[in-house]
Amino acid sequence: MRQAMFLIKATTAWIVMVMAAIANGFFRESILNPYLGEKLSLPISGLTLSALVFAIAYKTVKYFQLDSIITCLILGSLWAFLTFLFEYGFGYYIQNMTIDEINQVFNIMSGNLFIFVIITALISPVVLAARKKGSKETPS
């Protein structure tokens, strides 16, 4: 039962991350691109989405019992895995993109910083759990 609740909470938090990513993409395409151009808006969007993912993780980790580094890594790995799965599944099956085209989302040289979003999703539970543990040990 505990694992099922963990998966439900983790997936729910991840869905919020996906909604933030869609809103971020819409903002990039409709506001940033016309004013800044793709070359500048793409990295800004990647950094913004990384910040949004971290903020969502910050707001949701309190609902998890992150009692070990392994649990934190499982949560972050699940979020990263679901993100990869969504990116490739949506790109391939919905947008009819080739795998090579989808792989471009990880091309830092093109200004796409999506890999930082994946890294943020992966490590944010560890960072936030360590921060929480550190604040408990700090004398008041």
Side-chain angles (χ1 to χ4, degrees):
M1 182 65 169
R2 184 173 178 225
Q3 291 89 354
M5 285 307 296
F6 181 89
L7 285 174
I8 290 168
K9 291 177 193 177
T11 304
T12 302
W14 177 78
I15 289 169
V16 173
M17 291 177 190
V18 169
M19 291 188 303
I22 292 168
N24 184 64
F26 179 77
F27 179 74
R28 181 187 67 242
E29 295 299 319
S30 62
I31 306 294
L32 293 179
N33 274 355
Y35 291 103
L36 302 176
E38 188 172 335
K39 187 173 183 167
L40 190 54
S41 65
L42 196 57
I44 290 171
S45 178
L47 294 174
T48 302
L49 184 54
S50 293
L52 288 169
V53 166
F54 189 81
I56 293 164
Y58 178 81
K59 286 296 192 181
T60 59
V61 294
K62 64 185 171 190
Y63 299 109
F64 296 92
Q65 188 175 355
L66 299 178
D67 49 5
S68 72
I69 189 79
I70 299 298
T71 306
C72 294
L73 289 172
I74 289 170
L75 178 58
S77 297
L78 179 61
W79 284 344
F81 174 75
L82 288 172
T83 304
F84 276 118
L85 195 65
F86 180 81
E87 192 67 33
Y88 281 93
F90 187 81
Y92 189 79
Y93 292 107
I94 305 299
Q95 295 182 306
N96 296 315
M97 297 170 69
T98 67
I99 298 300
D100 287 338
E101 289 173 321
I102 299 167
N103 286 340
Q104 288 306 304
V105 81
F106 302 105
N107 183 355
I108 294 174
M109 300 308 288
S110 70
N112 200 325
L113 302 181
F114 190 70
I115 191 68
F116 292 121
V117 175
I118 301 286
I119 292 168
T120 301
L122 180 65
I123 67 168
S124 57
V126 175
V127 170
L128 292 167
R131 182 179 176 271
K132 182 179 175 185
K133 184 178 178 186
S135 67
K136 284 182 180 176
E137 295 175 355
T138 306
S140 3

